[in-house]
């Protein structure tokens, strides 16, 4: 087995250890176990950073590989988890981001290098504005999803006066979960919009028309409308609590479904499959 494959397996194992040890630490109420989970995730993130940097330096056509984008998505989810941990002083979102990083990174390892038809002179612009912005927006949606799931669960427990399992008694307050959702939506929607606009401009240069009828375009426009409603209701009408939490959950699941079903299974010029 090539040395680089062993290196990537080490990253996957570090993320897996982080994903497994954190809930174990919650269940056993063992701070050392949670600390070990954080260290494992940090090690995975550090090695993953090296992996992406090496791919960028050693592979001239890395931006044309679908596996690179999925790996980048996993890296962004972990990066934003650490940012949220620093910002809100709580590591609860590890319950969502650590397993997501495991799935995405191991998924990227089994994807064969795919070739996306990207004109070389447009690659950097396309990556920076279209692909880069969309994956940061999706990673922020993943945070909003995790906070939303926590909010809906905790609110239901409070309203029904049900006992919260001991493993989840360290959950952040409802207000903290709502603030995570608000931050993710207020930053994520403008990035999603920038990505859409960059995609339309790129399509105009490449196919001489803004809309091509591609299934990814249609679904992405639908997601953008839902995202716009959530953004507007949050900022203009002051939505808080359960409604934005549930809407963020739905938008993230729709986005994830679109990434898996359309980018890998349907014929589309956004395909990340190997040709």
């Amino acid at each position: 087995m090539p040395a680089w494959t062993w290196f990537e397996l080490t990253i996957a194992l570090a993320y897996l250890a982080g994903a497994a040890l954190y809930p174990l630490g919650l269940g056993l109420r063992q701070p050392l176990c949670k600390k070990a989970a954080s260290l494992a995730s940090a090690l995975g993130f550090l090695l993953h950073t090296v992996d992406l940097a090496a791919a960028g330096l050693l592979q001239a056509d890395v931006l044309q590989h679908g596996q690179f984008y999925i790996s980048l998505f996993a890296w962004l989810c972990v990066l934003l988890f650490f940012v949220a941990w620093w910002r809100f002083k709580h590591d609860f979102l590890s319950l969502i981001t650590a397993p997501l990083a495991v799935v995405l990174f191991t998924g990227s390892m089994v994807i064969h290098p795919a070739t996306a038809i990207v004109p070389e002179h447009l690659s950097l612009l396309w990556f920076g504005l279209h692909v880069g912005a969309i994956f940061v927006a999706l990673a922020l949606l993943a945070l909003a999803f995790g906070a939303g799931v926590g909010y809906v669960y905790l609110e239901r427990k409070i309203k029904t006066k049900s006992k919260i399992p001991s493993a989840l008694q360290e959950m952040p307050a409802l207000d903290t979960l709502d603030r995570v959702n608000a931050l993710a939506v207020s930053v994520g929607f403008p990035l999603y919009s920038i990505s859409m606009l960059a995609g339309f401009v790129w399509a105009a240069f490449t196919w001489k028309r803004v809309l091509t009828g591609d299934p990814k375009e249609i679904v992405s426009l639908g997601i953008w409308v839902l995202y716009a409603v959530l953004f507007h209701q949050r900022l203009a009408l002051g939505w808080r609590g359960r409604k934005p939490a549930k809407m963020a959950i739905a938008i993230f699941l729709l986005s994830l479904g679109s990434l898996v079903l359309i980018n890998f299974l349907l014929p589309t010029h956004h395909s990340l499959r190997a040709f």
Side-chain angles (χ1 to χ4, degrees):
M1 186 182 295
W4 200 252
T5 303
W6 281 109
F7 182 73
E8 291 188 329
L9 280 175
T10 304
I11 298 171
L13 287 174
Y15 281 151
L16 181 62
L21 288 172
Y22 187 79
L24 188 63
L26 284 177
L28 299 176
R29 301 181 72 83
Q30 286 291 334
L32 281 177
C33 206
K34 289 172 60 181
K35 188 173 182 179
S38 300
L39 290 174
S41 294
L43 174 64
F45 178 73
L46 180 63
L47 297 178
H48 195 173
T49 305
V50 174
D51 184 58
L52 288 174
L57 291 173
L58 300 177
Q59 300 177 36
D61 59 347
V62 68
L63 298 183
Q64 294 176 311
H65 292 180
Q67 61 184 162
F68 175 79
Y69 297 117
I70 302 301
S71 177
L72 179 67
F73 184 23
W75 183 83
L76 286 169
C77 287
V78 181
L79 172 66
L80 290 177
F81 158 69
F82 282 117
V83 171
W85 186 3
W86 167 77
R87 176 70 177 79
F88 298 101
K89 313 299 180 192
H90 208 292
D91 58 358
F92 176 75
L93 287 172
S94 178
L95 278 176
I96 299 295
T97 54
L100 190 59
V102 174
V103 172
L104 291 172
F105 185 76
T106 52
S108 75
M109 291 175 64
V110 299
I111 299 171
H112 294 291
T115 303
I117 305 172
V118 182
E120 189 175 347
H121 65 286
L122 286 176
S123 293
L124 287 177
L125 177 64
W126 185 73
F127 173 77
L129 293 181
H130 185 53
V131 180
I134 196 66
F135 278 109
V136 176
L138 289 177
L140 285 163
L141 262 178
L143 285 188
F145 167 80
V149 170
Y151 189 98
V152 171
Y153 174 82
L154 187 57
E155 187 197 46
R156 183 175 301 154
K157 287 291 182 183
I158 293 173
K159 280 188 173 180
T160 59
K161 298 182 179 177
S162 304
K163 184 179 179 182
I164 298 175
S166 59
L168 298 177
Q169 288 182 357
E170 296 179 17
M171 283 182 69
L174 287 176
D175 181 64
T176 301
L177 294 168
D178 189 61
R179 286 193 292 127
V180 173
N181 179 293
L183 178 65
V185 171
S186 61
V187 178
F189 175 72
L191 287 173
Y192 197 96
S193 301
I194 289 171
S195 172
M196 294 286 289
L197 285 173
F200 290 144
V201 171
W202 187 75
F205 276 109
T206 306
W207 295 291
K208 308 304 178 188
R209 51 182 175 164
V210 173
L211 293 174
T212 63
D214 187 83
K216 188 68 180 181
E217 288 176 357
I218 297 169
V219 173
S220 296
L221 279 171
I223 292 172
W224 182 85
V225 170
L226 292 174
Y227 213 161
V229 170
L230 176 58
F231 182 77
H232 174 268
Q233 298 297 85
R234 262 254 179 229
L235 268 65
L237 300 184
W239 258 20
R240 289 174 58 86
R242 182 156 46 95
K243 284 184 179 178
K246 285 186 171 180
M247 199 159 183
I249 293 170
I251 294 173
F252 176 71
L253 292 177
L254 189 57
S255 301
L256 198 60
S258 166
L259 179 66
V260 174
L261 296 176
I262 296 180
N263 291 91
F264 287 97
L265 300 179
L266 295 183
T268 167
H269 53 245
H270 290 84
S271 177
L272 295 176
R273 292 179 302 173
F275 292 104

